[in-house]
Amino acid sequence: MSTTGAAADPLAALGSLPGVADSVESVRKAVDRVYGHRIMRRRSNEITSEAALRGARGSAALSGADWALEEVRRRTDFSAGEEDRTVGAALRLTAEAGQLLSIWRQSPLRVLARLHLVAAADRGDAVGRPRRSGEKADEPLVELPLPDADEVAGRLEGLSQLIIAGGSAPALVTAAVVHGELIALRPFGSHNGLVARAAERIVLIGSGLDPKSICPAEVGHAELGRAAYLAALDGYVSGTPDGMAAWIAHCGRAVELGARESAAVCEALQRGAA
């Protein structure tokens, strides 16, 4: 998302795109429903923990490690192969995201660097910093054109300034833009998808939309499928009003599905079946 010549609050302007207000309202209703469940009054920590596990599984699935939930739940060693390491990275990021909320609004680039460090601690001196000139991004499931290092630096700075400035944009819009921009840029040498979805989670929690982190958008993104995810990303990268609106709506649907997942967990706990 280029901010050059944009309005003072370009994120808020996206909220006026056709259909976006409906997506924002639909997400709010879905989130309110799960927060209003009677189980949330006494077992919210359990719902948060389960949402974190399911969110990590969903994010890993979109990065090529589509494991069954029970397989993720039972594993303790995530070092044996590439898929194992992807799942392990997703779990670490989900755990780390909640620790970075206080830093995000003041220094989002520092948070992104930390997220990459957590995800890719075994990748040598390229960990925790944006790509340099000539360096590529290892994100094989995303085939979008790869911006060069100078463009990445400029757009990251622009995104950072928007976040620090705040504004009146709905949380869904900000989360979708952060997510989409990070995938479009792929600023790091690896694990960009995992980092982008963790950053989306941070925005949704820190904005107050989902303060207990019980509506994992990653679950919804995975449920909607990789093909739909990539098609919606194409819309974001196009920069057209219709494309941007479609990406925001896609992210909104993902949050709604994450809320539905946690509502089902609440129901299971209420029945004593979980």
Side-chain angles (χ1 to χ4, degrees), residues 52-63:
L53 182 72
R54 294 177 185 224
R57 192 218 73 82
S59 190
L62 286 170
S63 287

Side-chain angles (χ1 to χ4, degrees), residues 49-219:
S49 295
E50 187 66 17
L53 182 72
R54 294 177 185 224
R57 192 218 73 82
S59 190
L62 286 170
S63 287
D66 192 0
W67 289 12
L69 179 63
E70 292 310 313
E71 179 69 8
V72 177
R73 197 190 302 280
R74 75 172 186 83
R75 283 289 190 98
T76 57
D77 181 4
F78 296 95
S79 61
E82 191 63 33
E83 286 194 7
D84 303 65
R85 288 188 287 272
T86 296
V87 174
L91 288 166
R92 293 193 300 274
L93 284 173
T94 301
E96 187 74 9
Q99 310 303 313
L100 299 171
L101 297 174
S102 63
I103 305 172
W104 175 254
R105 287 296 296 271
Q106 286 74 43
S107 185
L109 298 185
R110 181 180 163 196
V111 169
L112 294 175
R114 174 61 185 171
L115 290 174
H116 188 249
L117 180 65
V118 168
D122 59 344
R123 296 295 180 109
D125 65 359
V127 169
R129 63 160 176 81
R131 293 183 286 112
R132 295 172 182 159
S133 180
E135 292 181 341
K136 301 298 183 183
D138 180 16
E139 202 73 34
L141 301 179
V142 177
E143 298 180 353
L144 299 169
L146 187 67
D148 63 26
D150 288 342
E151 182 179 352
V152 167
R155 287 172 62 175
L156 279 179
E157 182 60 31
L159 182 65
S160 175
Q161 290 174 5
L162 287 175
I163 293 165
I164 292 169
S168 59
L172 171 63
V173 172
T174 303
V177 168
V178 167
H179 183 169
E181 191 72 352
L182 292 175
I183 291 285
L185 294 177
R186 278 145 293 157
F188 302 108
S190 64
H191 297 86
N192 289 285
L194 295 177
V195 168
R197 291 183 288 275
E200 180 185 45
R201 172 183 286 266
I202 288 172
V203 174
L204 294 171
I205 299 169
S207 67
L209 177 64
D210 182 20
K212 294 182 182 294
S213 192
I214 59 169
C215 302
E218 306 97 320
V219 168

Side-chain angles (χ1 to χ4, degrees), residues 27 172 175-176 179 200 217 221 246-256:
V27 165
L172 171 63
H179 183 169
E200 180 185 45
H221 287 303
W247 169 246
I248 294 168
H250 183 88
C251 290
R253 182 61 179 148
V255 176
E256 290 182 56

